[in-house]
Each structure stands twice: as structure tokens, then as C-alpha cells.
Amino acid sequence: MTDQSLSPFATGDLLVTATRLNPAARYPTGASAVRQLGPDGSEKAEAATGATGLVAGLALLDDGALLALDPQGRSVACFGPDGNRRPDPNVGDHPFGSLVRLPGGDLLFGEHLCGAAGRFAGGGAVYRFGPEFVLRRRYATQWNGGVSGFLGVTHMALSADGATLFHLSETGPLLYGHDLEDDESLGPLFTASDPPAMLFGLASLPNGDLMVANGTGLLRLVGGCGGFRLADRVTLPPPATGRPGWANVILRPSGQSVFALDFLGGRIAELDLQTHALTRLLDLGLPSALASLAEVP
């Protein structure tokens, strides 16, 4: 294990974003890094990606390799299941920050940024790659910029059949749908109304519902391509000091529970999907760095 490698992946390991932040930076940014935890949350390893920015997305591939996406650094780093660093995939110079796998094995990368120029430049589009990262298609997805104006497709989830992409611009109020076969936007499918009316990460649940983070907790949405409605609100524990920052949600491999991520506080909460009961709360000590998580099945 070196500064740019992890330990071999084991079932139940949690891989989390752990950028080593520069305290003088205006926005959360620093030396991009990934931390590997055991199933109980104990630290096993940490590795730098070599980029400067903020790791926003993590995803495991079919062969067990991990991709770490840093949109500010325009970097997609790869770690093999043995923990060793692999060559970065050639996916072009894009600010990718999220990734989902389609049922047939293709990958969708979302452009996290949509600024006109500078470090936040991007088009807010979604790119589809096949085997060996061969580009197949570019989808002209909608975005609203979020409160800062430069946030594009920051989070994505798929319908059960993989035919529809659900996506949003974090800190914005709108959840969008996109027909992948016809490359057609379905427009906003849900609009947040509770102040401050912000949406963050989302996850598709086994029964077709969506779970969406909204800062103070999670929203459970029911519906489909014709639109979603709010079915339940799940309030999560506030921090001891400062603002709540529940900004992402990850479905666990069992399909029985989800992890909610507190970006600002660096905490993980586990919730049972049947009861919405909080079953675990871990403080990882990663404030303003805990943006995504991948669990080794």
C-alpha cells in the first residue's frame, strides 16, 4: 500500500470520498483522496488521486474496480479490486462528478459543472461509454445551475428498467427525467417546495421509489416518468454545531437499507427502508469532504 494505493477490497468495505481540504480555499477543494473503511467504519487505507479539486462521485465497475470522479480536477482515477492504482480511463476532458451503470454494462457519466469558463466550466451533459470507455452517445440533459449557477448534472439514478435517467443539479429545486432511448428530456418530474427548497443526491429504490437528500434529511418520492410526489420525509440528526448537510443517499447492496451522507459534518447514517428507522450513525471526521460512498458487495 502506498499513498496512491488502497488495500485489497473485501466484502462490506466502504469506500468514501476524503479530499484533503485546503483551509484557505473559497470552495471545498484540496488534494483529492479516497478512504477505505471496514464494515464497522474503521479506517483501512487512504489514497490520493493526484488531482486537485474535490472527489464528488465514486462507483464500482463490473470487474470490481473503483472509479473516483473529481469534476474540478477533471480527473477520473481508477483503483483495481487489489487496491492498486490503474491507469486513468480515457474519457476526455470533462468535469465528471457522477456515474451510473446501465443494465447492459454501459456507463453514464454526468458533467457536474456547467459554467461558461474557468475552473467550473462544463456543459452539464451526460455521456454514455461502452466497453473500454468507447464513447457511444452524448445526452443533452437539462440543468438549472443550483444556487451558485455552475452546477450541472451532479447526481443521477436510473429507473428499474434502465430506460429513464433521473437527475438533478444539487441545491436546485428540480428533479428531471431523461428518456435514454429517444434522447428526449421529460422535463421536471418533481419540484421541491419546503424551504430552502433544495435537492441533493438521489437513489433509486428496489420498488421504484426515489430517495432524495434535501439537507435536513431525506425525501421519499413515489411515481414515475409522468411525475413524482412526496410520500414521506425522514429527518436526520442535526450536527452538534453548524448547519445540517445531508447531501447524498446510497442504496446498500442488500436493498434493505440506505446510507445517508452528511457532507458538511462528515457523518454517515444508515436507515432501514421499511421503517425509516436510524440504525447506525458514524462520524468519520471528514467535514466538507464526504460527498459519495461505494460499498463492496
Side-chain angles (χ1 to χ4, degrees):
M1 185 177 68
T2 69
D3 187 55
Q4 288 211 0
S5 68
L6 299 167
S7 296
F9 299 167
T11 298
D13 278 358
L14 305 178
L15 302 156
V16 301
T17 58
T19 298
R20 301 162 187 172
L21 298 174
N22 175 1
R26 179 180 178 185
Y27 297 99
T29 187
S32 299
V34 177
R35 183 175 295 179
Q36 181 180 6
L37 311 172
D40 61 353
S42 59
E43 185 173 347
K44 297 177 69 173
E46 186 169 307
T49 69
T52 299
L54 183 76
V55 180
L58 296 174
L60 289 166
L61 303 182
D62 288 337
D63 66 355
L66 175 78
L67 294 186
L69 290 72
D70 180 341
Q72 293 183 46
R74 295 177 180 266
S75 164
V76 178
C78 183
F79 297 87
D82 59 0
N84 291 327
R85 184 70 181 267
R86 290 181 176 178
D88 296 350
N90 182 13
V91 292
D93 181 30
H94 298 282
F96 290 139
S98 57
L99 184 157
V100 292
R101 292 186 296 169
L102 291 168
D106 283 2
L107 304 174
L108 297 180
F109 286 79
E111 283 193 302
H112 192 98
L113 303 173
C114 62
R119 62 183 295 199
F120 298 123
V126 170
Y127 289 74
R128 180 172 182 161
F129 291 87
E132 306 301 322
F133 298 100
V134 173
L135 180 62
R136 293 191 187 277
R137 198 165 189 175
R138 177 187 184 275
Y139 298 98
T141 37
Q142 286 188 269
W143 43 266
N144 55 65
V147 296
S148 60
F150 54 70
L151 296 170
V153 177
T154 63
H155 296 86
M156 302 187 292
L158 291 170
S159 60
D161 61 4
T164 304
L165 176 69
F166 304 118
H167 61 93
L168 53 81
S169 304
E170 67 180 19
T171 71
L174 303 176
L175 169 72
Y176 298 101
H178 198 94
D179 184 317
L180 295 174
E181 184 173 342
D182 294 332
D183 189 8
E184 179 182 1
S185 175
L186 304 178
L189 301 181
F190 177 78
T191 302
S193 57
D194 292 352
M198 293 181 180
L199 300 176
F200 295 89
L202 74 160
S204 294
L205 304 185
N207 68 347
D209 293 355
L210 292 180
M211 196 74 91
V212 186
N214 74 336
T216 59
L218 303 176
L219 305 177
R220 188 159 185 161
L221 309 181
V222 297
C225 297
F228 285 88
R229 62 177 178 81
L230 178 63
D232 201 2
R233 295 181 178 87
V234 182
T235 302
L236 292 172
T241 60
R243 295 177 295 139
W246 298 102
N248 207 353
V249 56
I250 310 292
L251 179 69
R252 298 196 63 197
S254 68
Q256 302 300 310
S257 62
V258 295
F259 284 127
L261 309 185
D262 176 6
F263 174 75
L264 295 179
R267 299 178 295 165
I268 296 177
E270 183 178 3
L271 281 89
D272 181 273
L273 282 177
Q274 291 296 321
T275 64
H276 292 174
L278 181 69
T279 58
R280 189 164 35 154
L281 184 63
L282 297 174
D283 187 343
L284 303 185
L286 291 170
S288 298
L290 185 61
S292 187
L293 176 152
E295 182 176 359
V296 180

